Amino acid sequence: MKLQELLKNTKPLAIVGDVDVDITGVNIDSRKVKSGHLFVAMKGTQVDGHQFIPKAIELGAKAVLCQDMPEAKAEGVTYVQVADTEDAAGKVATLFHGDPSRHLTLVGVTGTNGKTTIATLLYNMFRKMGHKCGLLSTVCNYIEDEAIPADHTTPDPIELNALLGRMVQAGCEYAFMECSSHAIAQKRISGLKFAGGIFTNLTRDHLDYHKTFENYRDAKKAFFDGLPKTAFAITNADDKNGMVMVQNTKATVKTYSIRQMADFRARIIEMHFAGMYLDVDGHEVGVQFIGKFNVSNLLAVYGAARMLGKAPEDILVTLSTLHSVSGRLEPVQSPDGYTAIVDYAHTPDALANVLSSIHEVLNGKGQIITVCGAGGNRDHGKRPIMAQEAVKQSDRVIITSDNPRFEDPQAIIDDMLAGLNKEQMKKVVAIVDRKEAIKTACMMAQKGDVILVAGKGHENYQEIKGVKHHFDDKEVLHEIFNA
Ligand SMILES: CC(=O)N[C@H]1[C@@H](OP(=O)(O)OP(=O)(O)OC[C@H]2O[C@@H](n3ccc(=O)[nH]c3=O)[C@H](O)[C@@H]2O)O[C@H](CO)[C@@H](O)[C@@H]1O[C@H](C)C(=O)N[C@@H](C)C(=O)N[C@H](CCC(=O)O)C(=O)O
Ligand SMILES: Nc1ncnc2c1ncn2[C@@H]1O[C@H](COP(=O)(O)OP(=O)(O)OP(=O)(O)O)[C@@H](O)[C@H]1O
Ligand SMILES: N[C@H](CCC[C@H](N)C(=O)O)C(=O)O
Ligand SMILES: [Mg+2]
């Protein structure tokens, strides 16, 4: 593709060299550059990509998109200066991959919790309704049946557009994706055309990156600010920031709620460990999910499907056949008559919600033993609050390691324990080794009890000092139960 074509949606401040050159690839990482590529230099959180321009040219880059025009220029290379390479990267990448979002019905989900659940359920639902679909999510990316491992919630703009391009080639009509706050702030989704956006909720997370809650909220809001007039914006009326999210959007706003008047409403009729009976917009439906927050998630799915033109009856019939997403309130039954639940709750709010969901079902008939930790090299402030939330709603708590990353596991545990007073500490033991912690919980549990293993959900690794060691909470539980 000609460089000139690729620059169609960007406003170059200066161009040095020929724009009538063929570009065979677009890259933001010099290490991946091949002959004929366009290298986009971005100012990152760790390094300034501009310093890799010579490296990219050495590897064959024919053109460079930059924010700062380098003094020394290589012969035969075209230099294009723009005000914001982060924004330009997505716009260029999407054109290079055939502008896929304009050939798909693309729906994005943002918010602190529930993104994976909602995006995955929409993907499962629309496939069951006979459509070809793609999914971009924390757990895994999919192009129809083909699984493509995910290392981000939202891939970088190059991979993101490449994946969307492959979805179009595979004949997909719909794509459902998670839009993380990092991805929105870093403009990974720049240049994409969304048919709709969904807001789940907003609670404390990622303050290590966004610094303040307001910045974090505004990052999420920027997604709705950027939606076109043709799109829908579905928001959670039960969340304090639900209406803030959509206050400046051009999209058609719809609300969902389990507590008040809204465009899409639901209420719980009955709940047990196998599922719930709901009233959704006046229709009764049985679903294989538990927890109030899942009613909100299901409503968001229902609302989006309605906005995408599906009939209420068809949506609800399909909804009743869907089951829990990997590592989200996923039960593992012990032979001794207690239930272990693996869940990805890794924020104070998610932990509190999961525990109250378990209480709603348990109804005082058993004890709750919680095993949880907090990730290393992430928000330190959430650690003591997570410990408090765990203690508040559990009978016993085992504080352990999550992904320590580059931090000392014991130091993370100490940060968590610092949130507890003497009285609360009586319920708590700290065991650094996660497997030992899970084993200990299993030894404590009696018939009828529930063990919540929180924080890692679907993850099949534990990241220690840059190395991912195989570790899978569900597998550990099965191992213990079969021993
Ligand atoms: C903090 C953060 O989000 N960082 C992301 C960011 O990298 P960065 O700004 O730190 O990049 P950098 O290392 O400073 O490098 C700057 C530029 O130089 C380039 N470079 C670098 C080295 C080199 O040799 N050559 C070269 O060209 C890099 O490719 C980059 O373009 O941009 C990169 C490309 O998009 C991301 O891969 C990277 O994700 C890091 C690995 C990460 O861990 N991100 C997490 C926190 C994240 O994004 N999480 C969210 C989900 C969170 C949630 O909601 O739970 C996600 O969407 O996954
Ligand atoms: N609507 C919700 N409200 C509050 N908590 C939720 C909600 N949905 C899910 N959770 C909790 O949050 C955890 C993460 O859910 P999910 O993976 O769907 O969210 P996510 O937004 O994709 O998270 P991440 O940002 O880590 O990718 C679940 O394991 C559950 O504990
Ligand atoms: N997407 C989130 C996932 C956190 C999961 C938890 N297990 C942890 O490692 O902290 C993050 O990267 O912050
Ligand atoms: Mg997710």
Side-chain angles (χ1 to χ4, degrees):
M1 200 169 185
K2 293 280 189 219
L3 178 58
Q4 192 156 23
E5 271 291 292
L6 292 177
L7 297 174
K8 205 169 73 184
N9 296 333
T10 49
K11 294 190 184 78
L13 301 172
I15 299 177
V16 178
D18 189 3
V19 285
D20 190 35
V21 285
D22 264 319
I23 297 297
T24 56
V26 179
N27 253 307
I28 56 170
D29 186 340
S30 62
R31 291 162 291 197
K32 294 181 185 162
V33 168
K34 295 208 169 66
S35 175
H37 280 196
L38 165 69
F39 174 64
V40 186
M42 306 219 284
K43 295 187 179 185
T45 58
Q46 306 300 315
V47 285
D48 182 351
H50 287 77
Q51 75 186 68
F52 305 109
I53 294 176
K55 188 80 214 163
I57 293 172
E58 209 180 292
L59 289 169
K62 258 208 181 138
V64 171
L65 194 62
C66 55
Q67 234 165 274
D68 305 332
M69 192 61 100
E71 294 259 325
K73 295 182 187 69
E75 191 129 352
V77 176
T78 310
Y79 294 82
V80 181
Q81 188 189 15
V82 290
D84 181 359
T85 44
E86 220 169 36
D87 180 55
K91 289 180 172 156
V92 167
T94 207
L95 288 177
F96 183 80
H97 290 285
D99 216 356
S101 62
R102 275 155 185 86
H103 303 283
L104 286 164
T105 298
L106 176 64
V107 177
V109 189
T110 196
T112 307
N113 292 305
K115 299 182 295 296
T116 300
T117 305
I118 292 171
T120 308
L121 293 182
L122 278 166
Y123 163 81
N124 288 337
M125 171 181 276
F126 276 73
R127 290 195 73 203
K128 285 199 172 191
M129 287 174 160
H131 301 284
K132 287 193 170 177
C133 299
L135 172 69
L136 301 178
S137 92
T138 316
V139 180
C140 189
N141 300 317
Y142 284 94
I143 299 173
E144 275 282 272
D145 271 329
E146 188 195 345
I148 300 141
D151 17 71
H152 275 105
T153 286
T154 310
D156 71 56
I158 309 298
E159 198 196 338
L160 169 56
N161 283 288
L163 285 167
L164 292 174
R166 285 181 54 193
M167 287 179 197
V168 173
Q169 275 164 16
C172 291
E173 286 172 72
Y174 293 91
F176 302 101
M177 71 177 286
E178 292 184 51
C179 299
S180 69
S181 57
H182 291 79
I184 302 167
Q186 292 163 19
K187 304 180 188 156
R188 292 180 207 161
I189 58 172
S190 157
L192 298 184
K193 179 176 175 257
F194 285 90
I198 300 172
F199 172 70
T200 63
N201 46 64
L202 195 74
T203 53
R204 182 197 177 94
D205 202 10
H206 303 306
L207 294 195
D208 53 323
Y209 179 78
H210 298 287
K211 309 297 178 218
T212 67
F213 186 77
E214 289 68 31
N215 290 346
Y216 177 47
R217 179 196 62 204
D218 293 346
K220 299 274 184 202
K221 180 174 174 288
F223 171 55
F224 296 95
D225 292 350
L227 288 178
K229 226 164 94 182
T230 49
F232 61 81
I234 299 184
T235 194
N236 182 0
D238 299 332
D239 189 89
K240 225 175 38 219
N241 286 292
M243 296 323 286
V244 177
M245 286 297 136
V246 294
Q247 73 191 13
N248 300 109
T249 190
K250 293 188 277 301
T252 304
V253 175
K254 294 283 173 187
T255 54
Y256 63 91
S257 169
I258 58 172
R259 289 197 221 123
Q260 51 190 300
M261 284 303 291
D263 296 303
F264 307 112
R265 298 179 59 190
R267 113 189 125 75
I268 301 172
I269 302 171
E270 208 181 291
M271 192 184 311
H272 38 89
F273 269 120
M276 301 178 281
Y277 276 102
L278 305 178
D279 177 312
V280 179
D281 267 357
H283 307 268
E284 247 182 62
V285 60
V287 294
Q288 302 169 53
F289 295 84
I290 59 163
K292 251 190 210 137
F293 64 74
N294 271 325
V295 184
S296 300
N297 291 342
L298 292 169
L299 253 187
V301 169
Y302 172 81
R306 287 286 305 277
M307 294 310 286
L308 292 168
K310 297 294 176 191
E313 298 74 19
D314 294 345
I315 301 170
L316 294 174
V317 167
T318 315
L319 211 57
S320 67
T321 66
L322 301 178
H323 40 78
S324 71
V325 175
S326 173
R328 274 72 183 159
L329 276 181
E330 208 178 338
V332 186
Q333 210 56 51
S334 92
D336 299 329
Y338 61 88
T339 308
I341 291 182
V342 174
D343 188 84
Y344 195 45
H346 53 79
T347 64
D349 172 69
L351 203 52
N353 283 324
V354 167
L355 283 165
S356 49
S357 297
I358 295 173
H359 275 292
E360 283 160 26
V361 185
L362 206 52
N363 212 358
K365 293 195 192 87
Q367 302 226 319
I368 299 181
I369 305 159
T370 296
V371 180
C372 68
N377 301 95
R378 296 285 188 269
D379 189 0
H380 288 215
K382 75 176 176 185
R383 294 174 186 173
I385 317 174
M386 285 178 71
Q388 285 164 7
E389 292 298 350
V391 166
K392 252 188 239 165
Q393 296 197 69
S394 313
D395 298 284
R396 301 295 299 271
V397 176
I398 304 177
I399 303 277
T400 187
S401 305
D402 191 295
N403 291 308
R405 300 198 175 85
F406 292 94
E407 285 192 63
D408 170 18
Q410 185 60 51
I412 302 174
I413 292 177
D414 291 343
D415 283 343
M416 294 185 78
L417 297 178
L420 306 175
N421 62 32
K422 252 196 191 145
E423 198 50 39
Q424 290 171 318
M425 280 298 289
K426 286 184 187 158
K427 280 189 188 176
V428 178
V429 281
I431 302 173
V432 176
D433 184 312
R434 190 169 177 95
K435 196 170 187 171
E436 283 308 313
I438 298 173
K439 269 191 193 157
T440 307
C442 291
M443 273 165 7
M444 289 174 178
Q446 307 284 318
K447 190 166 183 246
D449 289 351
V450 174
I451 298 176
L452 168 64
V453 183
K456 295 181 57 61
H458 64 282
E459 291 177 355
N460 60 4
Y461 59 82
Q462 189 172 34
E463 194 183 331
I464 306 169
K465 296 204 177 2
V467 182
K468 286 185 171 175
H469 303 268
H470 181 79
F471 195 99
D472 182 326
D473 286 344
K474 265 180 286 176
E475 207 175 278
V476 170
L477 285 163
H478 282 299
E479 230 173 73
I480 297 170
F481 294 164
N482 294 330

